[in-house]
Amino acid sequence: MTLQEESLLPQHVAIIMDGNNRFAKKKQMQKGDGHREGKNVLDPIVEHCKKVGVRALTVFAFSSENWNRPQYEVDLLMKLLEETIHEQLPRMEKFNIALRFIGDRSRLSDPLRELMSDAEKKTASYDSMTLTIAISYGGMWDMAYAAKRIAEDALLGKLKTDQINVDLFDNYVSLSDLPAVDLLIRTGGDYRLSNFLLWQAAYAELYFTETLWPEFTVEELDHAFCVFSGRERRFGKTTEQIQQAKIEN
């Protein structure tokens, strides 16, 4: 298989970037240094996804539950997020990548919210790939917020309750304009989704690795792509139906 064969590649990749603190402990580094190391891993991953033809990459930077972490760590993560946005803007222009953010922005500082909105506006026309950073995000929050917006539109007479179905709901969740997640990668050795893209990744192939995020490489990303290409995605159909469809196409 060549990774350039687009039909064998996931069009939307999501990554739970886990293991930064354990990496710091493993290397006997100072508190917070694992997050700083992890921030540097993102650039080559983004570039490689763009190079091989992935249309969308969504990364989990800060979850709804991460607000419960020690305050010094929360403050550091917010600072690193600001640094990441500043650093990514010229890279987005260079590689023609749109940068966007998903999550509950109400708990973020005004300067960070303004920085995020400005970055989205400046890169909105770039169309080679979309990089989405999930900040203060949770899959259950996403679906609850979508339900709230649907209810508001119903009360305003913009839609009727008998119009509410899976397709309509899909239009209200985050990333509704992007392909559904094909491949969800979690680093760090844990085998759970941790409330990430629960709706969007309903039929995603899952790839779990013991590798800590600061040690995750382009080579392992390629391995994840190879694993993905070897899986049969049936979407509720039988193997025979899938094989027949391939013959007919």
Side-chain angles (χ1 to χ4, degrees), residues 112-152:
L112 181 55
R113 287 204 299 265
E114 291 174 9
L115 185 62
M116 291 160 59
S117 296
D118 183 60
E120 288 175 322
K121 291 174 184 176
K122 287 181 177 177
T123 65
S125 62
Y126 301 159
D127 59 5
S128 69
M129 192 179 84
T130 298
L131 169 63
T132 303
I133 302 177
I135 302 176
S136 189
Y137 175 85
M140 290 185 287
W141 165 86
D142 196 351
M143 290 188 282
Y145 186 61
K148 178 184 177 182
R149 291 171 56 212
I150 290 172
E152 290 172 345

Side-chain angles (χ1 to χ4, degrees), residues 3 10 17 29 60-62 65 84 86 88 95-96 119 123 132 139 148 169 176-177 191 196 201 209 218 247:
L3 290 173
M17 306 180 294
M29 303 168 74
F60 209 5
F62 190 88
E65 292 73 29
T84 297
H86 283 298
Q88 290 301 326
F95 294 105
N96 192 36
T123 65
T132 303
K148 178 184 177 182
F169 197 92
S176 59
D177 60 323
Y191 292 77
F196 185 44
T209 174
V218 166
I247 293 172

Side-chain angles (χ1 to χ4, degrees), residues 211-226:
T211 303
L212 304 174
W213 173 246
E215 298 175 316
F216 190 74
T217 63
V218 166
E219 288 72 25
E220 184 161 5
L221 179 61
D222 275 345
H223 177 69
F225 289 161
C226 288

Side-chain angles (χ1 to χ4, degrees), residues 12 58 100-105 120 130 132-147 149 168-181 196-201:
H12 190 167
T58 302
R100 66 169 70 172
F101 306 90
I102 55 173
D104 181 4
R105 303 189 189 192
E120 288 175 322
T130 298
T132 303
I133 302 177
I135 302 176
S136 189
Y137 175 85
M140 290 185 287
W141 165 86
D142 196 351
M143 290 188 282
Y145 186 61
R149 291 171 56 212
L168 183 135
F169 197 92
D170 190 61
N171 291 327
Y172 282 80
V173 295
S174 302
L175 309 180
S176 59
D177 60 323
L178 296 178
V181 176
F196 185 44
L197 299 177
L198 301 180
W199 179 274
Q200 298 87 340

